[in-house]
Amino acid sequence: MNTSPPRSLRHAAGRPSPTLEDLALAAGVSRSTASRAINGGDRVSPAAQAAVDRAVVALGYIPNRAARSLVTRRTSSIALVIPEPDVRVMMDPFFAVVITGITEALRETDVQLVLLMSRTDDDSARTLRYLRGGHVDGAIVVSHHKADSWARSLAETGLPTIFIGRPWDMTFDVTYVDTDNVGGGKLAAQHLSGIGRRRLATVAGPADMTAAVDRLRGWKAGLAEAGLPAGPVVHADFTTDGAAAAARLLLAEHPDIDGIFAASDLMALGVMEAIQAAGKTVPGDIALMGYDNHAVAETASTPLTTITQPMVEMAVKAGSMLLEEIEAPGSHPEPVIYSTRLVERESTSVAPMASAANA
């Protein structure tokens, strides 16, 4: 059976694109039926839908997105909101991984990703106006801080929203994807104490981010279970330079430390620089751990023992959950928490000399 459209409806290169009327004529249906068929309407018979689908392929018909949005009230766009300075977003591989994962979730759709970076109050207000203006169908928020108020602000808009990382304010029952950061921090304490390190410290992340707070809470719990004191704590900003500065202060005040847990792999690189600058070795003098299991952990001058955070999987899941919420408003998927695991590498492979002498 020949399903090609009439010759008069064929459009050669350089000719005007086929219209909705052309599509309807080729499919043998009314204009309104053709419109409902290409826009996902639920009052189209299987036969009519099949006829329209064949005509779309035969004509090379491309729906008018602006007209379609008037029908569906959809923009076919979602926003990724990152409340961080531009330079941090560009330098930290964490964000590239998040973007990669979300893009993967959108691969089989026509939905586009819009990146919104805002840190100052003015930027946040402008970003919120954009989100409220109907430019996107939903938002994913990552790397949020306690003072950002994104959970409340976005809940008030009614815009479908998924957080990557537990929000500070759970009053609004925001859906999120996260890892077991408390469990990850505890794993780090258990590993360092388990290899014989006893004078332990941590370079924690920012105290206004839930991931950093949870990892620190797990670290302290793990030390307590091992019968060790809480030990020194210094905070940094999840950057290499910030962690190096914090570690220099830590080592100056506590030169007897024999194990350090850095709350991210990037920070662990900065800690390693500070340790080496102090004339000490990793892991001979100080065993060092990171968190995330980024590629930088494996390629470091001394490969890093670290705690996994399955960021690609988390970002894919966040994208899928947002699409689900957009398609079924009010469905409100339950939060998803991923487990963590230890990845051992050279940075914790050697027992300290003191422990070996006491063995």
Side-chain angles (χ1 to χ4, degrees):
M1 177 180 179
N2 184 6
T3 59
S4 300
R7 182 178 299 276
S8 62
L9 293 180
R10 297 175 188 170
H11 293 259
R15 300 287 298 277
S17 298
T19 66
L20 183 61
E21 287 76 9
D22 294 334
L23 183 69
L25 181 59
V29 299
S30 68
R31 186 182 186 281
S32 60
T33 297
S35 177
R36 289 196 301 273
I38 63 173
N39 289 306
D42 57 0
R43 291 177 294 151
V44 181
S45 70
Q49 183 69 59
V52 172
D53 291 343
R54 288 194 299 269
V56 165
V57 174
L59 290 176
Y61 178 79
I62 301 175
N64 183 316
R65 293 295 178 192
R68 181 175 181 177
S69 68
L70 292 175
V71 175
T72 64
R73 299 183 183 275
R74 301 262 183 91
T75 65
S76 293
S77 297
I78 63 170
L80 173 60
V81 180
I82 307 179
E84 296 287 358
D86 294 4
V87 65
R88 165 104 197 274
V89 176
M90 295 300 106
M91 296 295 292
D92 193 334
F94 169 85
F95 298 107
V97 172
V98 169
I99 292 170
T100 298
I102 296 173
T103 302
E104 180 63 28
L106 304 180
R107 184 177 299 279
E108 301 301 322
T109 75
D110 292 328
V111 178
Q112 298 297 313
L113 182 63
V114 178
L115 180 60
L116 303 176
M117 293 179 286
S118 64
R119 193 67 188 94
T120 66
D121 290 341
D122 287 343
D123 283 345
S124 297
R126 184 171 67 248
T127 299
L128 192 56
R129 286 196 299 272
Y130 180 87
L131 294 172
R132 285 173 169 164
H135 301 289
V136 295
D137 299 322
I140 296 173
V141 183
V142 65
S143 196
H144 40 285
H145 297 256
K146 190 173 186 178
D148 291 334
S149 302
W150 282 108
R152 175 181 57 80
S153 298
L154 289 174
E156 290 173 351
T157 69
L159 186 73
T161 303
I162 304 292
F163 277 69
I164 296 179
R166 177 178 62 83
W168 273 100
D169 190 349
M170 294 300 295
T171 305
F172 302 95
D173 196 26
V174 177
T175 295
Y176 64 94
V177 178
D178 205 354
T179 56
D180 179 10
N181 288 298
V182 173
K186 185 179 292 188
L187 264 179
Q190 290 170 342
H191 178 64
L192 287 175
S193 62
I195 62 172
R197 307 293 168 137
R198 291 294 178 265
R199 298 177 298 279
L200 302 177
T202 183
V203 178
D208 68 341
M209 300 185 72
T210 56
V213 170
D214 288 349
R215 289 170 198 178
L216 180 58
R217 181 155 60 94
W219 166 256
K220 290 180 176 179
L223 292 179
E225 289 179 4
L228 296 176
V233 177
V234 292
H235 290 271
D237 58 359
F238 279 139
T239 68
T240 299
D241 290 344
R248 286 193 293 270
L249 177 63
L250 177 67
L251 293 171
E253 295 182 351
H254 305 276
D256 61 337
I257 288 170
D258 65 2
I260 298 176
F261 166 50
S264 79
D265 291 337
L266 276 188
M267 292 207 300
L269 296 182
V271 175
M272 188 180 296
E273 291 177 7
I275 291 172
Q276 293 168 344
K280 297 177 182 291
T281 63
V282 175
D285 297 309
I286 300 176
L288 176 63
M289 287 188 63
Y291 198 110
D292 289 325
N293 199 28
H294 283 318
V296 296
E298 190 169 8
T299 59
S301 57
T302 301
L304 284 167
T305 293
T306 188
I307 304 296
T308 61
Q309 179 170 222
M311 278 312 308
V312 172
E313 189 175 355
M314 290 168 60
V316 170
K317 186 64 176 179
S320 300
M321 290 168 68
L322 183 60
L323 293 176
E324 177 185 338
E325 178 77 7
I326 292 169
E327 289 298 324
S331 59
H332 199 66
E334 290 296 318
V336 175
I337 310 296
Y338 288 86
S339 60
T340 56
R341 65 181 178 86
L342 176 74
V343 178
E344 295 186 57
R345 297 192 179 98
E346 293 175 20
S347 68
T348 63
S349 63
V350 179
M353 295 301 295
S355 294
N358 294 332

